[in-house]
């Protein structure tokens, strides 16, 4: 699930559905932008016009590791296995597994 959660009004509900359909020991790989990305993306979209303004306006949230940990912890069967930042800390990469 690449660059999806930040567009959702109810990301927790999405994670609950993912947990429902994942097989035991199944894996979710996801990326989401970090808080550092917000001003950069807004500059690229609103000032330089090289990123879609509509897509950036559609971002409901930005995440850091703690935000993802807290969100995933609300779904008892899911566990955050791996978290890394990439693109100079502007994006999160996470591997989440189902117990």
């Amino acid at each position: 699930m690449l660059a999806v959660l930040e567009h959702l009004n109810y990301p927790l509900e999405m994670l609950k559905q993912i947990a429902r359909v994942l097989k035991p020991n199944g894996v979710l790989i996801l990326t989401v932008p970090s808080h550092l990305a917000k001003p950069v993306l807004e500059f690229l979209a609103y000032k330089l016009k090289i990123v879609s303004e509509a897509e950036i306006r559609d971002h409901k949230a930005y995440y850091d590791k703690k935000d993802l940990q807290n969100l995933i912890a609300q779904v008892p069967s899911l566990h955050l296995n791996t978290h890394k930042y990439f693109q100079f800390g502007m994006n999160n990469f996470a591997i989440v597994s189902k117990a």
Side-chain angles (χ1 to χ4, degrees):
M1 188 165 67
L2 306 180
V4 173
L5 278 184
E6 70 272 15
H7 295 279
L8 303 178
N9 287 318
Y10 305 102
L12 178 59
E13 297 308 313
M14 174 62 80
L15 289 178
K16 288 178 181 177
Q17 289 302 312
I18 289 168
R20 183 182 67 78
V21 300
L22 267 181
K23 293 179 181 182
N25 300 311
V27 174
L28 164 67
I29 296 172
L30 66 87
T31 65
V32 289
S34 73
H35 298 286
L36 289 175
K38 185 177 185 198
V40 173
L41 291 172
E42 289 176 349
F43 178 76
L44 294 173
Y46 304 137
K47 299 293 185 192
L48 298 183
K49 311 281 187 199
I50 60 174
V51 173
S52 166
E53 289 185 32
E55 183 176 330
I56 302 310
R57 272 194 303 277
D58 189 52
H59 283 187
K60 311 289 189 278
Y62 291 83
Y63 296 86
D64 60 20
K65 182 178 182 180
K66 186 172 184 167
D67 297 327
L68 288 173
Q69 287 173 324
N70 291 338
L71 183 62
I72 292 164
Q74 295 178 63
V75 184
S77 63
L78 295 182
H79 174 73
L80 178 61
N81 291 334
T82 302
H83 175 275
K84 295 180 181 181
Y85 291 105
F86 68 102
Q87 290 181 326
F88 305 107
M90 289 192 284
N91 281 287
N92 297 270
F93 169 83
I95 299 175
V96 179
S97 64
K98 180 177 178 179

